[in-house]
Amino acid sequence: MTDTSHLPGPRLDLWEWQLWGSCRGRDTELFFHPEGERGLNRSNRERAAKAVCAGCPVRRECRAHALAAREPYGVWGGLAEHEREAIVGRTTASAAAS
Ligand code: SF4
């Protein structure tokens, strides 16, 4: 079962930013990789998704959500999965060291 304890609560104001995302109405396959996608296809798709995120008015909120919720898949706030993993890993390591 998925652990949702780190997700924000159900209050509308915590999620309202999603109404203003530049990805709204776009094909989700641009942001989430299909089964088995690798290499150049994957980097090209991620680059195209990040270009959409670059002009998004709620990029900061989206990125903060994805990092806090530890979204495991997709491009969120201009960050791909491996980039979020690196940030969360650094944050966790520095918290453990202090
Ligand atoms: S930052 Fe990217 S993924 Fe997040 S809402 Fe905007 S366009 Fe969508």
Side-chain angles (χ1 to χ4, degrees):
M1 179 177 271
T2 303
D3 176 15
T4 58
S5 62
H6 52 276
L7 293 175
R11 290 180 18 223
L12 179 61
D13 56 316
L14 295 175
W15 299 98
E16 194 175 10
W17 59 268
Q18 293 187 357
L19 297 173
W20 309 107
S22 296
C23 57
R24 194 165 175 83
R26 288 184 178 253
D27 189 346
T28 55
E29 289 187 7
L30 180 61
F31 293 86
F32 296 92
H33 67 81
E35 182 79 27
E37 182 189 56
R38 290 185 174 72
L40 194 56
N41 287 343
R42 187 164 188 149
S43 12
N44 286 341
R45 183 193 48 74
E46 287 181 349
R47 190 174 306 111
K50 288 177 181 182
V52 175
C53 295
C56 180
V58 293
R59 186 172 58 158
R60 179 184 299 204
E61 292 86 346
C62 179
R63 181 177 292 196
H65 161 77
L67 291 170
R70 299 184 183 173
E71 290 288 352
Y73 304 111
V75 172
W76 292 73
L79 295 175
E81 297 159 17
H82 65 280
E83 295 166 323
R84 291 195 307 278
E85 285 170 13
I87 292 170
V88 170
R90 278 198 303 269
T91 305
T92 305
S94 68
S98 58

